[in-house]
Amino acid sequence: MDQQLALEILLDGHNVLLTGPAGSGKTYVLNEFIRHAKKAGKHVSVTATTGLAATHLGGTTIHAWSGIGVHDELPEDFEDYLLKSRRDIIETTDVLVIDEVSMLHDYRLDMVDMVARKVRDDERPFGGLQVVLCGDFFQLPPVNRTDSRDGGFVVGSDVWSQLELVMCYLGEQHRQDDQLLLDILSAMRRGDIRCCHAEALLSRVDASLDSTVTELHTVNVDVDRINAERLERLDGESHVYEAQTTGKENYVASLKRSCIALEQLVLKRDALVMAIKNSPERKYVNGSVGTVVGFEEGTDYPIVTFRNGRTVTMKPDSWELRDGDKKRAGLTQIPLRLAWAITIHKSQGMTLDAARIDLRKAFVEGMGYVALSRVRSLDGLSLVGINQMALRISPEALRIDGELRKRATEDHARFEHLRARAVKRGKTVAKEAAAKEKKASSWNERLEKMREKHPNAYRPWTHEQDELLKQDFQQGAPIEELSKKLGRHERSIVLRLQKHFGEDIAT
């Protein structure tokens, strides 16, 4: 199924499993659906099985949203202990999204279902919510720990068949451009790795790559050590960026744990870095690798030349912990992290032009598939080593995939009539995008003109500029003089003074 048809099925209000191989565009379709649904006035609760996946979508974990926490079973009177704020969110939700569903235990999906039915006082599955599950069962599976209840994939839950999910199995490939790598990944998904595939991978052990690339490792301790060592080797001054947060302490702590952005980012010139968010202007994407080439005068923002040839001044971006429609916490930081090394877990959702991958310590089925599917081609892959576990796929995932593909074929035919609406929507979106681009171009031209007279127009105020403004104003400097000295419009100077001294201080 293609992305357009999947989006129309979602917008038609059906319960859906959105699945498909790595790089097939699941996250793109999910984000488009969320955007359209919110624009239509629906209350969308965006959740995921891990905090990291949740922050990519601007949501929270399904465990927190439902109130089940880390519990393995619900007490009989559990609804009596739910906070009113939690009940309000569940009651007012129209659409529940659960991403990275391959990692969710079957019994926990049933627990969430029970919570929703009870709170909403509705015996339909999930209390009548539209439920959108997203994930790929060939990627990381549910983890069974010795101190908790064992469980399997969500297809084994009691509520699975009751949901009557439409299977949107995306088949297009938007990442790999190498047929041999695609063959290897497809063979892994069939559980049919042959000698030719193994030999192709082994030929990439210690393969030399054109430039310094990101290393993918299985454990955090290796990643932290490598990044610290490589940064220490660089000469030059360290530039430190502290994350700014808003919200209650417990929510901020939760956001920090799950967010890929660092509390403290330390950079130097020539540091290898990775973008950890998509650029709104499409100058880089989550996973784009580049080198710090300098720091902007005045703001100290890092200037990065990415592998795509673009040089970008990296400004702070924000991550949010949202609970339904409510923002619980926010974190603002430069959207970069050191890129000499990263864990395979944190690489999920990323596209890398090249990577050096260490799979000698792969310890769970699907880990090798996640890592290998990050790169575009075998030419961009260098293996430090690989063990047998790295090539294994869960037998249960293979069985599930066969059933999903069969049902997806039937659902594709059943909903083909929605394609006409998809074509119409595509034309509307193209028209809106053209108008938006024209508006942005016009604004950029106006901004460029403004900066001929006021060089700092619409640039963030630095601490040093603020201190200079307050000092000179208190010493009697007129607004016109401050405007020229700080390179800003007189109205901007007045508004900043009012922020510091009150609305009556400067008029």
Side-chain angles (χ1 to χ4, degrees):
M1 185 179 292
D2 59 43
Q3 295 178 351
Q4 273 192 334
L5 184 55
L7 179 59
E8 291 307 322
I9 292 170
L10 285 162
L11 292 173
D12 211 36
H14 301 278
N15 293 333
V16 166
L17 172 68
L18 182 64
T19 188
S24 59
K26 296 185 294 294
T27 301
Y28 170 78
V29 173
L30 202 53
N31 278 322
E32 282 296 289
F33 166 65
I34 293 167
R35 183 173 67 83
H36 282 292
K38 286 184 175 180
K39 190 176 178 181
K42 292 189 176 181
H43 295 275
V44 184
S45 285
V46 182
T47 74
T49 52
T50 67
L52 176 61
T55 57
H56 286 325
L57 293 168
T60 186
T61 64
I62 185 61
H63 307 75
W65 180 87
S66 60
I68 66 173
V70 295
H71 298 297
D72 291 339
E73 293 180 353
L74 290 175
E76 289 184 12
D77 55 350
F78 72 89
E79 65 267 31
D80 296 335
Y81 296 97
L82 285 177
L83 294 174
K84 182 180 183 302
S85 59
R86 174 70 35 225
R87 299 176 68 93
D88 289 345
I89 287 168
I90 296 171
E91 286 173 353
T92 57
T93 294
D94 299 309
V95 183
L96 174 62
V97 173
I98 309 177
D99 194 21
E100 297 294 358
V101 75
S102 71
M103 300 176 71
L104 186 65
H105 289 90
D106 45 11
Y107 63 84
R108 286 212 165 92
L109 187 67
D110 282 331
M111 289 167 68
V112 177
D113 168 50
M114 187 177 293
V115 169
R117 292 191 199 212
K118 288 281 188 181
V119 170
R120 294 169 65 88
D121 193 23
D122 187 331
E123 278 307 306
R124 290 178 295 171
F126 286 84
L129 291 172
Q130 180 187 2
V131 177
V132 179
L133 307 180
C134 182
D136 176 14
F137 293 105
F138 285 111
Q139 298 192 38
L140 299 177
V143 178
N144 286 319
R145 295 186 172 85
T146 54
D147 59 346
S148 63
R149 177 180 171 186
D150 281 356
F153 289 116
V154 290
V155 298
S157 63
D158 293 334
V159 75
W160 178 263
S161 59
Q162 299 172 35
L163 277 169
E164 298 180 347
L165 293 158
V166 178
M167 299 299 160
C168 293
Y169 200 120
L170 300 181
E172 298 173 323
Q173 180 51 243
H174 299 275
R175 181 176 296 154
Q176 280 77 36
D177 52 13
D178 178 336
Q179 191 55 51
L180 181 52
L181 178 56
L182 278 172
D183 289 345
I184 292 169
L185 295 174
S186 297
M188 291 180 77
R189 293 181 71 89
R190 297 192 306 270
D192 188 28
I193 285 287
R194 304 193 176 192
C195 287
C196 60
H197 303 129
E199 287 169 0
L201 288 174
L202 291 174
S203 73
R204 303 306 300 174
V205 172
D206 293 328
S208 61
L209 299 174
D210 292 339
S211 56
T212 304
V213 298
T214 300
E215 295 185 14
L216 267 57
H217 291 263
T218 52
V219 291
N220 276 308
V221 64
D222 291 337
V223 167
D224 295 340
R225 173 181 52 79
I226 291 167
N227 282 329
E229 288 175 355
R230 296 298 294 271
L231 186 67
E232 183 64 28
R233 288 183 209 167
L234 295 179
D235 296 326
E237 178 188 357
S238 293
H239 295 252
V240 181
Y241 306 89
E242 302 284 351
Q244 303 298 313
T245 59
T246 58
K248 289 185 179 179
E249 187 177 339
N250 59 322
Y251 290 124
V252 168
S254 178
L255 179 56
K256 284 180 178 179
R257 283 196 302 272
S258 59
C259 188
I260 194 170
L262 300 172
E263 284 189 60
Q264 184 185 76
L265 173 66
V266 183
L267 299 176
K268 292 181 181 180
R269 190 183 181 94
D270 296 327
L272 190 71
V273 291
M274 174 185 293
I276 52 176
K277 255 202 165 187
N278 293 330
S279 161
E281 299 83 20
R282 302 183 181 180
K283 294 178 180 178
Y284 53 83
V285 297
N286 181 17
S288 291
V289 174
T291 304
V292 177
V293 296
F295 299 87
E296 185 179 65
E297 190 175 346
T299 66
D300 201 38
Y301 294 154
I303 302 169
V304 177
T305 296
F306 287 101
R307 296 278 166 82
N308 61 12
R310 287 185 171 175
T311 298
V312 183
T313 299
M314 301 297 291
K315 298 177 181 178
D317 208 331
S318 297
W319 287 258
E320 293 181 347
L321 178 65
R322 298 196 75 88
D323 199 355
D325 293 330
K326 295 184 179 180
K327 178 181 174 181
R328 297 297 193 187
L331 183 149
T332 301
Q333 177 61 289
I334 302 293
L336 292 173
R337 65 181 298 134
L338 296 176
W340 286 290
I342 192 171
T343 61
I344 291 169
H345 172 65
K346 285 189 170 68
S347 75
Q348 284 201 91
M350 290 181 174
T351 299
L352 302 174
D353 292 321
R356 183 167 286 107
I357 301 176
D358 188 353
L359 287 170
R360 294 173 298 178
K361 299 178 185 176
F363 56 87
V364 66
E365 294 163 334
M367 185 170 276
Y369 178 80
V370 170
L372 294 172
S373 60
R374 296 309 98 197
V375 296
R376 298 181 187 276
S377 69
L378 281 177
D379 288 341
L381 170 67
S382 177
L383 282 172
V384 177
I386 189 168
N387 64 13
Q388 288 188 341
M389 176 59 78
L391 297 179
R392 287 184 191 167
I393 293 293
S394 161
E396 180 67 2
L398 284 169
R399 183 191 67 77
I400 292 168
D401 190 63
E403 294 179 2
L404 296 184
R405 284 178 179 274
K406 182 174 181 296
R407 286 179 57 185
T409 301
E410 296 168 356
D411 286 342
H412 187 287
R414 190 156 59 102
F415 290 98
E416 181 63 28
H417 65 279
L418 293 178
R419 188 172 300 283
R421 197 171 69 184
V423 172
K424 184 178 178 182
R425 190 186 303 279
K427 290 178 180 177
T428 303
V429 169
K431 192 178 292 184
E432 289 174 351
K436 189 176 180 182
E437 187 174 338
K438 185 178 179 181
K439 186 177 179 181
S441 176
S442 174
W443 164 248
N444 289 334
E445 289 172 6
R446 284 161 52 206
L447 185 60
E448 191 174 332
K449 189 74 174 172
M450 275 188 271
R451 285 180 176 168
E452 289 176 7
K453 185 175 181 181
H454 307 294
N456 287 323
Y458 288 94
R459 296 190 195 278
W461 284 80
T462 66
H463 175 72
E464 292 77 10
Q465 289 171 345
D466 265 333
E467 291 304 306
L468 182 61
L469 172 70
K470 289 188 283 186
Q471 173 188 297
D472 285 10
F473 178 72
Q474 288 172 321
Q475 291 176 358
I479 300 297
E480 184 179 355
E481 181 184 320
L482 292 171
S483 171
K484 290 178 181 177
K485 189 171 185 177
L486 292 163
R488 296 179 184 273
H489 193 277
E490 291 178 16
R491 178 61 180 159
S492 175
I493 296 293
V494 170
L495 290 172
R496 198 68 179 179
L497 288 171
Q498 288 176 338
K499 177 181 184 298
H500 291 305
F501 299 111
E503 291 187 4
D504 296 332
I505 199 72
T507 58

